[in-house]
Amino acid sequence: MIGEQLVEDMTDAERERARRVESVLPALRAAAEEADRTATFPASHVALLRAAGLLGLVVPEKFGGLGGTLRDLAAATYAMGTACPSTALAYFFHNTSASRGLLPLEAIDAGLFAEEEIPIVRAFAEKVLTRMASGTWLANFASESVKTEQANITIATTARKVDGGWILHGEKSFGCATGVADYYLTSAKLENYDTAEGLATFFVPRDAAGVSVRAPWDGLGMRATANNGIRLEEVFIPDDEALTVPGAFTKMLRMSRGSFVGNQLAIAAVYTGCAQRVYDETLAATTAKTFADTGKPIASAPVHQLLIGEMTRHLHTAYLWLRYQLAIETCEPPIKSKQEVFAQWRLGKGAVTEACFQVALGAFKAGGTSAAAMHGIAGRALRDLAMGLVMTFPAERGMLEVARIVTDAKANELFTTAPEAAR
């Protein structure tokens, strides 16, 4: 199966879940070109993924899900990335919603919540998971156009308390499945809080009064993700559709193994799947097509040999970084501290996405002028993989953050107490 190209040591249970993913790939692949051309997420994909049970892929079985882990999610987004990267990306963001259920429950078990907070936190967390397992599509809306120097994601959307619930006001600039998802799982800051302690999470129904779609996103990237974003104008959300316990968000994040909520590497798997597809297509085309004068395959030409060699190296680079990150985020018992896993990801994300883009660039060069089309595999991959260079953070920011982590740690070693003999 395609997912096994990334996760090579699948268990029997993982392989069974991967078969569900494999079953939807033909339909995703068939719709990919038209979806890209029209910049429209295929509405039929929602029912397709729901029928396959894949909207509950990473939800524990006790909540009605398939019981998959990050390994399953990475294999799934990788496989979908070979068929339709846009669908794979939107599917990834749906699955990130599970962290809003899994991590709070882990925080409860770790004793991070007060006794009176536990029923509230548990009810919300279980609602996230049971809705996903039942086939509800959740769009995860956090990012905004507001930027600050101190963080990758800054939340300016506000939540004001009223009788029976909350009033949300703000704008979300990034979030796949706009107008597609059943609910937008939305982050907002509570009144009178200036730190992350005041971040809260809300179920916002797609058709709730005051919810509107931002202008269509005509981006350089995965065009069929319905990535328009939303505006929230005095949107009322009932108390039981919100997690507003102060500090819940930060306590939840403490439970992840590494990056943010601990599933971010699955987005890099999307790009790697896309890179593998364009690599395979390029190899097939250049070995099948021959020179008119000699009859030799195009791939035998020195320039194509060089391009294919470089593409192979870049593709292997992506796999090495991604597989290692997957290993250190899922192995039991853990072999790296959270700080080390986090630092590795800040480097790894950039390394994977840069390498994947180079694969597409090589394919573009190998195809020549005749293959330089917007609708072809190489053209789409070049645009799709360009998004990876900037999404979440560029490689340069990751390297800068890791350099600061390393040098700050080294600087701390410069200060110590003198031995008795030296005093």
Side-chain angles (χ1 to χ4, degrees), residues 256-318:
S256 68
R257 283 282 286 264
S259 57
F260 186 36
V261 290
N263 51 28
Q264 297 298 294
L265 75 85
I267 198 171
V270 175
Y271 300 121
T272 307
C274 179
Q276 181 67 61
R277 170 78 184 283
V278 74
Y279 176 88
D280 291 341
E281 293 287 341
T282 300
L283 203 58
T286 56
T287 54
K289 191 172 183 179
T290 59
F291 290 111
D293 55 344
T294 65
K296 293 181 179 179
I298 299 292
S300 67
V303 66
H304 283 83
Q305 290 277 287
L306 178 59
L307 289 171
I308 292 169
E310 288 184 338
M311 290 169 67
T312 304
R313 176 170 61 87
H314 287 305
L315 189 58
H316 284 203
T317 297

Side-chain angles (χ1 to χ4, degrees), residues 346-347 354 393-405:
R346 304 310 273 185
L347 288 176
E354 293 272 4
F393 58 91
E396 291 79 3
R397 177 160 187 162
M399 288 186 284
L400 177 61
E401 291 180 355
V402 171
R404 287 175 175 168
I405 292 171

Side-chain angles (χ1 to χ4, degrees), residues 51-353:
L54 291 172
L55 297 186
L57 176 65
V58 295
V59 175
E61 292 179 353
K62 68 178 180 179
F63 297 112
L66 297 181
T69 68
L70 180 57
R71 284 166 54 91
D72 295 270
L73 180 57
T77 56
Y78 167 84
M80 290 182 187
T82 69
C84 178
S86 288
T87 300
L89 188 66
Y91 178 71
F92 162 79
F93 278 108
H94 161 77
N95 281 280
T96 63
S97 302
S99 65
R100 274 47 169 190
L102 297 171
L103 295 181
L105 293 178
E106 290 183 28
I108 290 174
D109 291 341
L112 299 184
F113 287 104
E115 187 174 346
E116 65 275 12
E117 295 173 332
I118 290 176
I120 301 170
V121 175
R122 187 183 300 280
F124 184 86
E126 292 184 354
K127 183 175 287 188
V128 170
L129 298 174
T130 54
R131 281 184 175 172
M132 291 180 68
S134 68
T136 298
W137 189 297
L138 300 181
N140 204 341
F141 278 81
S143 296
E144 303 185 11
S145 57
V146 175
K147 301 295 181 185
T148 59
E149 187 177 358
Q150 301 301 317
N152 288 319
I153 298 175
T154 301
I155 306 298
T157 299
T158 58
R160 183 178 78 253
K161 188 72 179 80
V162 295
D163 288 343
W166 300 81
I167 298 293
L168 302 188
H169 188 88
E171 183 174 296
K172 296 297 184 179
S173 61
F174 184 91
C176 293
T178 303
V180 175
D182 301 295
Y183 289 92
Y184 304 135
L185 202 58
T186 303
S187 301
K189 63 176 184 176
L190 303 178
E191 286 184 301
N192 303 318
Y193 280 89
D194 296 322
T195 68
E197 294 294 304
L199 291 181
T201 307
F202 301 83
F203 279 108
V204 178
R206 179 183 63 213
D207 299 324
V211 177
S212 60
V213 179
R214 295 171 76 238
W217 183 73
D218 187 21
L220 177 65
M222 299 177 185
R223 292 170 47 78
T225 56
N227 188 29
N228 303 326
I230 56 173
R231 291 189 179 91
L232 304 169
E233 298 283 349
E234 301 293 293
V235 179
F236 175 77
I237 303 298
D239 282 324
D240 62 357
E241 293 286 284
L243 178 57
T244 57
V245 174
F249 195 81
T250 53
K251 290 173 182 176
M252 173 189 81
L253 296 189
R254 287 168 60 183
M255 305 312 298
S256 68
R257 283 282 286 264
S259 57
F260 186 36
V261 290
N263 51 28
Q264 297 298 294
L265 75 85
I267 198 171
V270 175
Y271 300 121
T272 307
C274 179
Q276 181 67 61
R277 170 78 184 283
V278 74
Y279 176 88
D280 291 341
E281 293 287 341
T282 300
L283 203 58
T286 56
T287 54
K289 191 172 183 179
T290 59
F291 290 111
D293 55 344
T294 65
K296 293 181 179 179
I298 299 292
S300 67
V303 66
H304 283 83
Q305 290 277 287
L306 178 59
L307 289 171
I308 292 169
E310 288 184 338
M311 290 169 67
T312 304
R313 176 170 61 87
H314 287 305
L315 189 58
H316 284 203
T317 297
Y319 278 116
L320 288 170
W321 277 96
L322 192 54
R323 286 175 181 145
Y324 181 67
Q325 187 69 31
L326 185 59
I328 62 175
E329 289 201 27
T330 59
C331 67
E332 293 294 348
I335 58 174
K336 297 282 186 180
S337 68
K338 180 170 181 173
Q339 175 84 336
E340 290 174 305
V341 174
F342 174 80
Q344 187 74 26
W345 169 245
R346 304 310 273 185
L347 288 176
K349 183 270 176 184
V352 171
T353 53

